[in-house]
Amino acid sequence: MPPIESTNQLLPSFKFRKFLEENYQNRQLIHKKRGSIIVLNKNQYWMVIRGMVKLESITMHGDQQLLGLVGPNEIFGDSLTKILPYEVKALSDCDLLCFDGLEIESSPSLALAVLKGVSERHKQSEIFLSLFGLNLIEERIKEFLKSISKNYGQVSEDGIVINFRLTHQDLANALGTTRVTITRIMGLLKKQRFLRINSKKNIILL
């Protein structure tokens, strides 16, 4: 298995990259193209090696809701949620590893990885929920993008690049507003030089 690339610093003391390479180097990665739906089966856990996926659901009013983002070295799976319906979609081309519950039970190191992954997902969920305490949508967008860039951004000469595409609809689904409102405010943030969009349509925080 090739070296694992990650833009965040999750699990630094766990030496997670080395653990995966030593223990799962013969396991075939599952590749998913951007936009692909990842089917979840019971008692299966998925780990992102490269790329980014988004977790979504449908509200009682029929609107899409962004529940979270999962990046390198992070975990998702049917057993980690009680929300229905629950859909996982690749935000970028992804390489994934899949484990079943028995593997995790028999490996203390893997069980620890799952525990840490669940902990990180819980923290992210709390951050997303806290944004709804901000009355101004502009502030919600700013804080959301700051949080995403902190965990998944890549520092460059131009600023902090979010190396996966978040559409205006994705932002609207995450922040409880409309795509039209997001488009208007993103235009304002560009004028304020808070951000810009590169040729790949990725957001760069300035």
Side-chain angles (χ1 to χ4, degrees):
M1 188 172 76
I4 297 166
E5 299 172 357
S6 175
T7 57
N8 60 18
Q9 297 298 319
L10 296 177
L11 316 180
S13 63
F14 191 54
K15 298 181 180 178
F16 204 59
R17 177 184 303 185
K18 183 177 180 182
F19 167 75
L20 286 176
E21 290 179 342
E22 289 179 350
N23 292 275
Y24 296 96
Q25 58 183 337
N26 295 322
R27 167 137 345 162
Q28 184 176 2
L29 294 175
I30 298 171
H31 183 74
K32 295 291 183 178
K33 291 185 176 296
R34 180 179 180 272
S36 299
I37 301 297
I38 300 164
V39 178
L40 301 181
N41 296 315
K42 290 189 179 300
N43 205 35
Q44 279 187 339
Y45 297 81
W46 293 82
M47 182 174 296
V48 178
I49 302 304
R50 296 179 187 82
M52 183 70 58
V53 304
K54 62 178 177 179
L55 313 177
E56 293 185 308
S57 186
I58 304 294
T59 69
M60 61 183 299
H61 302 294
D63 300 318
Q64 279 191 313
Q65 184 177 26
L66 180 66
L67 300 174
L69 300 172
V70 186
N73 297 346
E74 295 182 335
I75 305 257
F76 65 93
D78 178 79
S79 300
L80 301 179
T81 182
K82 291 186 177 295
I83 295 178
L84 294 173
Y86 194 76
E87 183 176 84
V88 182
K89 183 181 291 186
L91 269 176
S92 64
D93 288 355
C94 294
D95 288 322
L96 310 169
L97 279 175
C98 186
F99 305 93
D100 63 39
L102 291 177
E103 286 182 278
I104 294 170
E105 290 177 9
S106 63
S107 170
S109 296
L110 192 54
L112 178 60
V114 172
L115 178 61
K116 288 179 178 290
V118 172
S119 174
E120 293 300 327
R121 282 285 303 115
H122 177 70
K123 291 175 185 177
Q124 186 189 87
S125 296
E126 286 190 333
I127 291 172
F128 282 12
L129 285 172
S130 71
L131 298 178
F132 287 91
L134 301 173
N135 293 325
L136 296 178
I137 299 297
E138 179 178 335
E139 292 304 314
R140 289 188 198 176
I141 295 174
K142 284 183 175 180
E143 293 305 315
F144 178 82
L145 293 177
K146 286 179 183 177
S147 174
I148 297 304
S149 67
K150 181 179 179 181
N151 286 325
Y152 307 114
Q154 179 178 353
V155 177
S156 72
E157 293 180 355
D158 298 325
I160 303 176
V161 183
I162 299 175
N163 277 324
F164 53 92
R165 187 182 175 190
L166 283 171
T167 67
H168 288 186
Q169 190 61 59
D170 287 329
L171 294 173
N173 294 344
L175 299 172
T177 186
T178 65
R179 181 182 58 80
V180 173
T181 299
I182 293 292
T183 299
R184 177 177 60 82
I185 294 178
M186 290 290 281
L188 291 175
L189 295 179
K190 289 178 187 177
K191 291 180 180 179
Q192 297 172 9
R193 294 194 56 76
F194 176 79
L195 59 81
R196 73 177 184 87
I197 309 297
N198 67 13
S199 59
K200 297 180 180 179
K201 297 187 178 180
N202 295 331
I203 296 170
I204 301 176
L205 300 191
L206 304 175

